Amino acid sequence: METVEMNSVSLKRPRSEDDVANTDEIKRQKISEKSKTENDSEQSVETVTEQPAKSLLEDTKNEIIPNEESEEQEDEELEDSDEDGDPESFADMMKHGLTESDVGITKFVSSHKGFSGILKERYSDFVVHEIGKDGRVSHLDDFSVPVDDEVNFEDPSEETFTVLSDEDKQRLEELQLLKNKETSVAIEVVEDTKEKRTVIHQAVKSLFPGLETKTEDRDGKKYIIAYHAAGKKALANPRKHSWPKSRGSYCHFVLYKENKDTMDAINVLSKFLRVKPNIFSYMGTKDKRAITVQEIAVLRITAQRLAHLNKCLMNFKLGNFSYKNHPLKLGELQGNHFTVVLRNITGTDDQIEQAMHSLREIGFINYYGMQRFGTTAVPTYQIGRAILQNNWNEVMDLILKPRPGAEKGYLVKCREEWAKTKDPAAALKKLPVKRCVEGQLLRGLLKYGMKNIISAFGIIPRNNRLMYIHSYQSYVWNNMVSKRIEEYGLRAVPGDLTLKGATAVHIEEGDVDNYTIHDVVMPLPGFDVIYPKHKIGEAYKEMLVADSLDINNMRHKIRDYSLSGAYRKIIIRPQNVNWEVVAYDDPRIPLFSTDLDKLEGKPLPVLPTDGKFRALKMEFSLPPSTYATMAIREVLKMDTSIKNQTQLNTTWLR
């Protein structure tokens, strides 16, 4: 499964009046979006709660659990409300967080002198375009809707979206979701014409999959009667008879999003379309704090319905529609193309040239980035290690115990209550947000009891659970690759591993001249992998023995937690590397045009030739499962941990 950057606190300046204004604008947008959602009475039966970006090692199915929208909205508001705080107090809390050296990130491959720069001062300074398996870079450059040869009853007119009142929509949604005892909903036809009745029929069937309609006379008035044609199954399976046979079952489109992660975006789209989130598919998850462009596929939703959402939603745009016969699959992509702006750089032109030439020619160490390990004083790899050790009391303790550092206030109170009482019910009462891992584990302990922690832990969605053990694998890999580079440098040596197709083989003494460091891979510990035939192979064993684990037996008695091994390149050399240094005066202005800017014809601001500040604009492409922050780390020669960045924020970035 592919992941792009999740880090959102990166060498960001202390908040200015402009930042406050931006925050106010974001709040207004959220209120507007929430109001629109409430007015349209949108609610989905189920909500995807997985966080697939956390797992890089295997594709896993979406996990869906029931959730009320009101709880979702409350959770989102509470989670969002703590995003921006006073930078000094946040830096103080982050003193307990992780640094790069804590997770084995200690080496560089380049020789240039490092310099400073501000990453993601604006979320629009970090733009990601997905690269499909055919090598094509996804761009949003067309809002038009494809025209079918056949007329489709499913295609709604503009009037469809306004003909039903908010009250009608509320009643129809409750009927669709089987949330009351009513078997039908009657909608009076005020203007009784055949055209008006047809529009109402279309509106109900288009906006509420699973409902059928008929016309009835009641007391001399015409009514459209909506009813369930096939019970619960109809909601999951859109009506087949209304979809033209000549049209592919999946509508593919390009999703352009700003400052939202992929799953949040899909949940919003599913609410507005009144469908389940799991009818959407995609090739990889993308950042929240960024502008990202990626391909999405959805089952039997017309391009016209999707295009209408462009008028309703903030932070998203949908376009480049086409119909195909297949969904998308996680990991099917070639990678991602990044456009990154580092603002207020201090490096000389010569330092920047050296750094970027090194990135293009040598590359960077393919470390797992800091977001892989969490931001608090309890790293995710420690929980993963306890799972692999079958130490379930420690798993429970690590997740629930009080911890120093940056956390939301309600989590602090929950942990304090747990430490004091060890009462799941009492601790759960302190949590207004029940969908967090802590809330899910506490619910599990309430259901299964304190003596059955394994079952209680199993309530947490599978991807979240696997995140912990994959974090431990990443921790081992980072430490081992640092040792490998320290021991043997940037050359292939006898006993190293390289890939022949999908199979790892050892590099033999007489064959070593045929390989470079770019050919060398290192294993992630698990079953069915081999290890280097030199000092690093022994170092793997020593590290796992120190953690009370058997490197030759990574199968767990619970199948989900049996670690399958994999191989990962030591050095990644980015493709399509380009860069330029630009001058600017105003930190609020954009320094390049996005796809949406180009579609809307927005020109770039005229930049001064001798501005107060300098920025490094860089572009590069990376394969899946690699971290752009690690490439940027190699350029700047700076610790990318939030702990380090926030401390820099409050000391010298004034």
Side-chain angles (χ1 to χ4, degrees):
M1 191 175 292
E2 173 267 349
T3 289
V4 196
E5 300 323 306
M6 295 299 192
N7 232 356
S8 63
V9 184
S10 299
L11 295 179
K12 191 170 64 174
R13 289 178 178 159
R15 296 177 76 191
S16 64
E17 291 178 5
D18 296 326
D19 296 324
V20 174
N22 289 339
T23 302
D24 289 341
E25 177 60 25
I26 290 168
K27 286 179 180 176
R28 283 194 295 273
Q29 291 178 2
K30 285 180 178 175
I31 291 168
S32 172
E33 183 173 314
K34 183 187 175 194
S35 173
K36 190 177 291 294
T37 302
E38 288 173 345
N39 288 341
D40 286 348
S41 307
E42 263 124 16
Q43 191 170 27
S44 58
V45 177
E46 296 177 329
T47 298
V48 177
T49 61
E50 65 163 357
Q51 295 178 6
K54 303 296 175 90
S55 170
L56 304 184
L57 303 178
E58 65 179 36
D59 295 344
T60 50
K61 292 189 295 184
N62 290 356
E63 301 212 19
I64 301 175
I65 61 171
N67 246 322
E68 293 296 322
E69 183 188 271
S70 58
E71 181 182 281
E72 282 179 9
Q73 289 176 340
E74 180 185 19
D75 286 359
E76 287 166 4
E77 288 162 11
L78 285 162
E79 287 166 358
D80 288 343
S81 65
D82 289 331
E83 279 185 2
D84 288 317
D86 177 71
E88 289 192 274
S89 62
F90 185 73
D92 187 58
M93 289 190 291
M94 285 311 302
K95 288 176 182 176
H96 304 280
L98 296 172
T99 63
E100 288 184 346
S101 60
D102 293 329
V103 294
I105 302 173
T106 59
K107 303 296 180 182
F108 295 97
V109 297
S110 52
S111 58
H112 71 275
K113 184 179 178 181
F115 53 94
S116 68
I118 305 175
L119 172 62
K120 293 191 182 183
E121 183 171 46
R122 308 171 81 242
Y123 68 78
S124 55
D125 285 345
F126 196 94
V127 178
V128 186
H129 288 87
E130 191 170 69
I131 306 172
K133 61 182 178 181
D134 59 357
R136 182 180 57 83
V137 179
S138 292
H139 282 282
L140 180 76
D141 53 22
D142 185 5
F143 284 141
S144 66
V145 173
V147 177
D148 285 331
D149 293 333
E150 298 182 46
V151 177
N152 179 31
F153 193 67
E154 182 86 358
D155 288 341
S157 65
E158 280 299 306
E159 193 178 357
T160 295
F161 298 99
T162 57
V163 70
L164 298 174
S165 69
D166 291 341
E167 183 183 354
D168 289 337
K169 291 177 182 177
Q170 178 70 36
R171 293 166 60 214
L172 288 165
E173 183 171 354
E174 289 174 355
L175 175 67
Q176 179 200 36
L177 301 181
L178 305 171
K179 297 188 73 171
N180 55 35
K181 295 181 180 179
E182 288 188 42
T183 57
S184 65
V185 166
I187 301 167
E188 183 180 354
V189 184
V190 179
E191 303 170 25
D192 184 16
T193 63
K194 184 176 180 180
E195 290 75 16
K196 190 68 174 181
R197 294 197 301 272
T198 299
V199 170
I200 296 175
H201 282 293
Q202 287 177 332
V204 173
K205 291 185 176 184
S206 297
L207 299 178
F208 299 92
L211 297 185
E212 294 292 347
T213 58
K214 59 184 178 181
T215 305
E216 284 188 3
D217 283 308
R218 295 183 180 180
D219 301 324
K221 295 180 180 178
K222 283 279 197 309
Y223 288 86
I224 305 296
I225 310 299
Y227 60 96
H228 266 288
K232 293 182 179 179
K233 289 184 180 179
L235 184 60
N237 302 301
R239 295 177 310 284
K240 293 182 180 179
H241 66 266
S242 64
W243 194 266
K245 292 180 181 179
S246 61
R247 174 193 288 173
S249 293
Y250 294 88
C251 185
H252 288 231
F253 62 95
V254 168
L255 172 65
Y256 170 103
K257 62 181 182 63
E258 299 180 354
N259 213 24
K260 274 199 177 285
D261 68 33
T262 301
M263 284 314 305
D264 282 344
I266 285 176
N267 282 332
V268 170
L269 295 179
S270 66
K271 287 177 188 177
F272 272 73
L273 294 167
R274 293 180 172 85
V275 295
K276 292 182 179 182
N278 63 357
I279 71 170
F280 291 86
S281 57
Y282 50 92
M283 294 184 287
T285 57
K286 302 290 181 282
D287 303 24
K288 175 179 179 178
R289 189 169 170 77
I291 291 175
T292 70
V293 183
Q294 68 184 117
E295 189 173 350
I296 305 287
V298 60
L299 176 64
R300 296 196 176 214
I301 299 293
T302 65
Q304 189 170 355
R305 285 184 67 189
L306 293 166
H308 180 77
L309 297 180
N310 286 330
K311 302 176 182 179
C312 309
L313 299 176
M314 308 287 288
N315 304 323
F316 311 131
K317 289 294 179 183
L318 286 63
N320 296 80
F321 302 103
S322 62
Y323 293 107
K324 299 181 182 179
N325 289 316
H326 59 85
L328 295 169
K329 294 180 181 178
L330 286 165
E332 272 189 330
L333 68 172
Q334 273 194 22
N336 295 281
H337 185 75
F338 296 86
T339 305
V340 178
V341 170
L342 301 176
R343 292 184 183 249
N344 201 17
I345 56 172
T346 61
T348 66
D349 288 345
D350 187 51
Q351 287 172 337
I352 293 166
E353 286 296 305
Q354 287 183 41
M356 295 307 299
H357 275 288
S358 177
L359 183 67
R360 184 167 63 189
E361 302 303 324
I362 301 175
F364 62 97
I365 304 172
N366 194 20
Y367 286 123
Y368 287 97
M370 293 302 296
Q371 58 267 45
R372 186 74 160 167
F373 305 102
T375 57
T376 68
V378 179
T380 51
Y381 76 80
Q382 291 184 3
I383 299 170
R385 179 169 54 200
I387 293 170
L388 295 170
Q389 292 169 340
N390 216 29
N391 188 344
W392 292 100
N393 282 314
E394 185 174 356
V395 171
M396 177 178 68
D397 189 45
L398 286 170
I399 293 175
L400 295 177
K401 72 178 182 181
R403 57 183 70 173
E407 282 210 305
K408 296 177 176 68
Y410 55 78
L411 273 175
V412 173
K413 292 175 183 176
C414 170
R415 297 188 193 285
E416 289 172 349
E417 183 65 35
W418 174 256
K420 183 171 64 177
T421 65
K422 290 293 190 290
D423 180 350
L428 198 58
K429 285 181 181 177
K430 302 290 184 180
L431 276 183
V433 176
K434 302 296 193 291
R435 292 182 299 144
C436 59
V437 168
E438 292 82 1
Q440 289 162 335
L441 178 56
L442 289 168
R443 282 205 305 252
L445 292 171
L446 268 176
K447 181 175 181 179
Y448 294 106
M450 297 286 286
K451 293 185 178 180
N452 195 351
I453 301 171
I454 295 176
S455 295
F457 183 71
I459 278 186
I460 298 170
R462 182 173 182 268
N463 279 349
N464 294 42
R465 287 182 276 123
L466 296 184
M467 169 192 73
Y468 294 121
I469 60 173
H470 293 160
S471 177
Y472 177 73
Q473 272 187 318
S474 306
Y475 170 71
V476 172
W477 196 91
N478 279 0
N479 278 278
M480 291 300 101
V481 80
S482 291
K483 282 183 179 291
R484 160 64 181 75
I485 289 173
E486 181 177 349
E487 189 71 33
Y488 300 112
L490 296 180
R491 59 192 178 91
V493 299
D496 272 337
L497 293 168
T498 189
L499 289 178
K500 299 283 189 180
T503 305
V505 297
H506 289 102
I507 298 175
E508 302 298 336
E509 179 80 43
D511 206 24
V512 71
D513 291 339
N514 295 325
Y515 296 96
T516 70
I517 192 65
H518 298 100
D519 300 311
V520 178
V521 298
M522 295 269 285
L524 288 108
F527 57 83
D528 298 332
V529 297
I530 60 174
Y531 294 87
K533 286 183 179 177
H534 48 52
K535 291 181 181 178
I536 306 307
E538 293 303 313
Y540 269 97
K541 295 175 185 176
E542 291 169 8
M543 186 170 184
L544 267 69
V545 166
D547 286 341
S548 302
L549 295 171
D550 182 357
I551 199 169
N552 297 313
N553 183 18
M554 300 302 288
R555 296 187 185 274
H556 199 280
K557 67 178 185 179
I558 301 171
R559 185 179 177 183
D560 262 1
Y561 311 135
S562 291
L563 272 185
S564 58
Y567 299 95
R568 183 175 175 88
K569 282 196 169 188
I570 288 182
I571 303 292
I572 291 292
R573 187 161 43 191
Q575 301 298 305
N576 308 311
V577 179
N578 291 289
W579 69 91
E580 66 173 316
V581 176
V582 296
Y584 66 102
D585 285 323
D586 186 346
R588 297 169 299 178
I589 63 171
L591 299 181
F592 61 90
S593 294
T594 66
D595 286 359
L596 188 58
D597 292 335
K598 294 172 185 175
L599 265 173
E600 295 179 346
K602 289 183 181 177
L604 267 178
V606 177
L607 298 175
T609 54
D610 189 23
K612 290 186 294 185
F613 307 111
R614 293 158 69 241
L616 172 59
K617 175 190 168 186
M618 62 172 79
E619 291 190 60
F620 52 87
S621 300
L622 295 178
S625 301
T626 56
Y627 288 70
T629 47
M630 294 295 99
I632 294 164
R633 167 187 183 268
E634 189 70 44
V635 170
L636 294 178
K637 294 283 188 75
M638 292 186 72
D639 186 325
T640 61
S641 66
I642 296 178
K643 176 178 180 177
N644 182 62
Q645 292 166 9
T646 50
Q647 288 172 351
L648 287 170
N649 241 357
T650 56
T651 53
W652 59 268
L653 275 182
R654 288 285 183 189

